[in-house]
Amino acid sequence: MAHSPQRLALQRLGNLTRILQSNQRSHSIRSSPSFQTRTMSSSTENEKGLLLYTWSTPNGRKVSIFLEELKAAYGTNYSVEKIDINTNIQKEDWFIAINPNGRIPALVDNSRNGFKVFESAAILLYLASHYDKDRKFSFEPGSDDESEMLQWIFFTHGGIGPMQGQCEPPYNGMNAI
């Protein structure tokens, strides 16, 4: 019995969430006291492979979950650099050079000459295009399934994401009123 793309996507999302929770401590999360003084070149050029700049927000989690799924399926290795958005590190010049919008997540692909990708939906599509070799998580380009997948990605990015962000506690260090 064939499953609809929506049902398959929901099943994959559940699997991704479980994988992320079980592997939360298995990938490299570095926290450096000198991180705020790093320049873009020192924080990206010395890395190999994928380097994700993120924080524990809904948008940051989307990319982390997909990277964990790619790691489980293909052995894709990546590093994570925590960006504490409470301290506005993401507004510093070195980060603006990676993401002109000054927000997380952002990805640097050092296996592709330091190619930079920002915005969670764009990062998901980039990763699917370049790292989902067997299309375990994506669909054939130009297919109806791919079109439906894109509709759901953009729906969550433009509709659900902003609403979810309004339900999160403020990240400015103040307690919610």
Side-chain angles (χ1 to χ4, degrees):
M1 177 168 129
H3 296 289
S4 71
Q6 296 96 331
R7 185 170 181 181
L8 289 172
L10 288 173
Q11 287 173 340
R12 287 178 179 163
L13 181 59
N15 291 339
L16 291 170
T17 303
R18 283 188 292 283
I19 289 169
L20 181 62
Q21 289 169 346
S22 67
N23 291 332
Q24 201 166 16
R25 293 180 186 91
S26 68
H27 62 276
S28 167
I29 297 182
R30 297 173 315 232
S31 181
S32 168
S34 63
F35 180 74
Q36 292 184 21
T37 60
R38 289 185 184 186
T39 63
M40 182 204 50
S41 60
S42 67
S43 65
T44 61
E45 287 178 3
N46 296 328
E47 297 293 328
K48 294 185 179 178
L50 298 167
L51 175 57
L52 175 65
Y53 294 93
T54 193
W55 190 244
S56 185
T57 65
N59 282 327
R61 288 183 198 117
K62 288 180 209 175
V63 177
S64 297
I65 290 169
F66 192 41
L67 282 167
E68 281 296 310
E69 191 70 10
L70 290 171
K71 182 179 176 180
Y74 300 108
T76 304
N77 289 315
Y78 67 97
S79 297
V80 175
E81 188 76 58
K82 293 192 293 186
I83 299 296
D84 185 347
I85 61 176
N86 297 310
T87 62
N88 277 332
I89 293 171
Q90 74 279 10
K91 303 299 182 186
E92 293 180 7
D93 290 342
W94 71 268
F95 191 84
I96 297 297
I98 297 169
N99 180 354
N101 195 22
R103 296 175 184 249
I104 59 96
L107 182 82
V108 176
D109 188 345
N110 289 302
S111 64
R112 298 193 68 239
N113 297 319
F115 190 78
K116 300 170 190 79
V117 189
F118 59 93
E119 292 295 326
S120 58
I123 295 170
L124 293 173
L125 293 171
Y126 174 84
L127 290 170
S129 172
H130 292 281
Y131 290 91
D132 184 15
K133 302 168 194 126
D134 298 331
R135 300 205 188 289
K136 293 180 180 183
F137 313 105
S138 59
F139 298 98
E140 188 67 35
S143 69
D144 288 347
D145 287 337
E146 183 200 38
S147 176
E148 193 167 349
M149 174 193 73
L150 292 172
Q151 293 170 56
W152 282 102
I153 287 174
F154 295 132
F155 169 70
T156 60
H157 190 74
I160 293 174
M163 292 295 107
Q164 188 176 19
Q166 292 177 19
C167 296
E168 293 283 326
Y171 290 109
N172 61 8
M174 299 174 61
N175 293 329
I177 298 177

